[in-house]
Amino acid sequence: MAAVEQEGAYSNLLLNQVLKQANLTPADTGLATELVYGTIARQKTLDYYLESYVAKGLAKLQPWVRSLLRLSLYQILYLDRVPDHAAVSEAVNIAKRKGHQGISGMVNGVLRNILRNRDKLTIPEDLPAAERIALMHSHPEWLVQRWIEQYGEQEAEAMCRANNEAPPVSVRVNTTMISRNKLIQEMQEEGLVVEPSLLSDDGIIVKSGGNMALTDWYKEGMLSVQDESSMLVAGAVDPKPGMTVLDCCAAPGGKTSHMGEKMEDQGRIIANDIHPHKVELIHRQAERLGLASIETVCHDALDLASNYKEASFDRILLDAPCSGFGVIRRKPDLRWTKSPEDVEAISALQYELLSRVSKLLKPGGTLVYSTCTTEHAENGGVVERFLKENDQFAPAGHLSLREELRHSAILDEYGIQILPHQFHSDGFYIARLTRVETS
């Protein structure tokens, strides 16, 4: 965690690397993962409480000591599995091994003092809304303020609360191999607790069943691990067998392969990414799922218009790079590494990407613009500007959702915004555009 804070390391990559070296049991691996992600997620709240008990202030502590205190307090406040005395004892032992007697004594004193005053660990209710929500649910205050301005105080707090919940496990059925009903039946026969997704006709929620990427169903290409909101994107593209489709920023290939499945593997999908190692991920995904219609290429998406003829694709998916604020619960450190300036910079890139790749769409074709963020500047703001400056394009109508789900999601003139608390899925924006046929 000190490396995440100091060096900007990605928590998921660093944790996976450490866990591989540690050779822990599945139970201990789960606990370690929960401790790391939970401590990063709750950092602002933990620091607020610790600040009153660290005499010289948290900022003056060595990073590893600060991380140790956070980790220990997280166990005390948020985990039932670890007794308080065990959390304190382990923290003191670590401090002795890594530091010296003075540090271990300080760690022991801080944590035991907190335990004695546990009932005083509260967030004042009379704070301004953004400050209160930021402290209560551990988010940057600037980000909470933006969400209040865009969605209102109640929705903003619900989003923050959802970002601290563990995401459900969902898988997408490869319908070229097996039906959803048949796969659900097989899973239940094996003792898994599963239910059909309400968001996607191709999705299954796995309530109990372990790591789905280790199952034979995954290895044999019958399913892919994918969030429910993400599954909606291929449906919005609505590719048909025999079509030519461009996926501009395709890695790691989940939406690409979903389109291939919907096309019954008939037609041609150009799956592009700027990074060669990510292109390889797409290729391996297509091979695992038995999809021969996917052709991988490696270009900067800004240059795609110089590699393909204008108006040469029936469908285009631009799943644009974004701030990622819709997937904070999966990547808890995202909330601490982004800034308002990042949102401005990425929205400028998104607009440029949309402007350039749109030239490749055939008249009457469909272009889907999607992101996994909740920021209007990156979503409806980009689409609105594009349509104002490109009169040969128009909204193509919203993607199809069940009526009860459509009522909960947020619709603008161009697309649909899903917030992370609405369906317990990732935050996503999806807009459908068409190129107007000229006579």
Side-chain angles (χ1 to χ4, degrees):
M1 285 181 292
V4 173
E5 180 184 5
Q6 279 187 292
E7 303 160 23
Y10 291 112
S11 60
N12 58 331
L13 299 180
L14 193 59
L15 179 61
N16 288 340
Q17 179 183 331
V18 172
L19 290 177
K20 284 180 181 177
Q21 296 170 352
N23 196 28
L24 301 175
T25 65
D28 286 342
T29 297
L31 177 58
T33 301
E34 183 177 359
L35 281 172
V36 171
Y37 283 173
T39 301
I40 292 171
R42 299 284 184 175
Q43 179 178 309
K44 189 178 184 74
T45 309
L46 297 170
D47 286 0
Y48 177 77
Y49 293 144
L50 284 167
E51 197 64 56
S52 300
Y53 293 90
V54 178
K56 63 180 182 180
L58 275 177
K60 293 184 179 179
L61 295 178
Q62 295 179 59
W64 73 266
V65 179
R66 192 163 53 240
S67 294
L68 178 60
L69 286 172
R70 288 169 176 164
L71 188 72
S72 304
L73 184 56
Y74 178 80
Q75 293 179 76
I76 290 169
L77 295 182
Y78 298 105
L79 290 187
D80 296 328
R81 282 182 281 172
V82 183
D84 292 346
H85 66 86
V88 175
S89 177
E90 184 60 26
V92 172
N93 289 335
I94 291 171
K96 285 179 181 176
R97 289 198 302 270
K98 195 170 175 63
H100 52 73
Q101 192 70 35
I103 291 177
S104 64
M106 183 273 294
V107 168
N108 183 59
V110 166
L111 294 176
R112 293 198 180 280
N113 198 7
I114 287 175
L115 284 177
R116 286 192 294 270
N117 296 278
R118 189 169 184 167
D119 58 338
K120 296 179 182 177
L121 299 181
T122 58
I123 305 296
E125 289 291 332
D126 58 351
L127 295 173
E131 184 180 357
R132 179 187 62 79
I133 294 170
L135 282 174
M136 183 77 70
H137 303 290
S138 193
H139 281 66
E141 191 172 330
W142 71 266
L143 185 56
V144 175
Q145 186 60 51
R146 286 178 77 104
W147 288 346
I148 290 174
E149 291 167 1
Q150 292 176 56
Y151 301 108
E153 181 180 335
Q154 186 175 345
E155 292 286 289
E157 183 158 15
M159 289 165 65
C160 291
R161 186 181 294 111
N163 286 340
N164 291 326
E165 297 171 356
V169 175
S170 55
V171 299
R172 187 192 77 238
V173 180
N174 182 356
T175 52
T176 68
M177 292 188 178
I178 191 171
S179 70
R180 180 167 74 168
N181 287 342
K182 175 63 174 169
L183 185 54
I184 286 176
Q185 180 184 344
E186 288 190 11
M187 289 176 157
Q188 290 173 335
E189 288 172 354
E190 291 294 323
L192 277 67
V193 180
V194 298
E195 62 185 34
S197 164
L198 293 176
L199 269 186
S200 170
D201 291 338
D202 299 322
I204 298 173
I205 307 300
V206 183
K207 293 185 171 292
S208 173
N211 186 342
M212 299 308 296
L214 300 179
T215 64
D216 287 340
W217 298 302
Y218 181 89
K219 294 171 186 175
E220 293 168 10
M222 294 185 190
L223 61 80
S224 297
V225 180
Q226 187 178 16
D227 181 78
E228 289 178 277
S229 293
S230 180
M231 293 181 206
L232 295 174
V233 175
V237 176
D238 192 27
K240 306 296 185 186
M243 282 185 170
T244 303
V245 179
L246 172 64
D247 191 346
C248 303
C249 306
K255 301 177 190 70
T256 312
S257 55
H258 195 189
M259 290 190 291
E261 291 161 6
K262 285 189 170 296
M263 293 167 64
E264 300 170 15
D265 201 28
Q266 299 173 36
R268 184 187 184 206
I269 301 176
I270 304 296
N272 174 72
D273 198 84
I274 192 172
H275 301 291
H277 70 282
K278 291 187 176 181
V279 171
E280 179 60 26
L281 290 177
I282 306 167
H283 179 71
R284 291 207 299 266
Q285 183 95 291
E287 279 196 329
R288 180 180 66 82
L289 296 167
L291 299 171
S293 58
I294 296 173
E295 174 187 335
T296 55
V297 297
C298 188
H299 302 295
D300 185 336
L302 289 169
D303 298 331
L304 284 170
S306 62
N307 289 279
Y308 298 97
K309 292 181 180 179
E310 184 170 342
S312 56
F313 290 93
D314 301 290
R315 299 283 190 269
I316 295 177
L317 170 59
L318 174 57
D319 187 49
C322 67
S323 60
F325 291 142
V327 294
I328 284 177
R329 60 186 180 161
R330 298 183 189 278
K331 301 176 180 179
D333 41 317
L334 259 180
R335 72 187 83 186
W336 310 123
T337 58
K338 300 292 183 180
S339 70
E341 292 73 29
D342 291 327
V343 174
E344 292 178 15
I346 200 73
S347 61
L349 172 62
Q350 291 162 339
Y351 175 78
E352 189 65 25
L353 283 167
L354 182 55
S355 297
R356 295 198 190 188
V357 303
S358 63
K359 297 177 175 62
L360 298 173
L361 186 67
K362 292 179 181 179
T366 300
L367 186 157
V368 168
Y369 174 83
S370 65
T371 74
C372 59
T373 192
T374 55
E375 280 295 303
H376 174 75
E378 301 178 58
N379 296 335
V382 169
V383 176
E384 181 179 19
R385 179 186 169 194
F386 172 77
L387 290 176
K388 282 182 178 177
E389 299 180 13
N390 296 272
D391 58 5
Q392 71 272 39
F393 286 85
H398 293 115
L399 73 153
S400 177
L401 280 179
R402 292 184 178 87
E403 188 58 38
E404 65 272 22
L405 301 180
R406 178 177 287 274
H407 178 71
S408 299
I410 299 170
L411 305 180
D412 64 21
E413 189 179 345
Y414 323 104
I416 184 168
Q417 176 73 66
I418 295 173
L419 302 179
H421 63 282
Q422 292 171 326
F423 309 117
H424 303 289
S425 60
D426 289 346
F428 245 84
Y429 180 80
I430 305 170
R432 303 178 71 247
L433 309 176
T434 187
R435 190 169 191 169
V436 179
E437 297 193 61
T438 55
S439 54

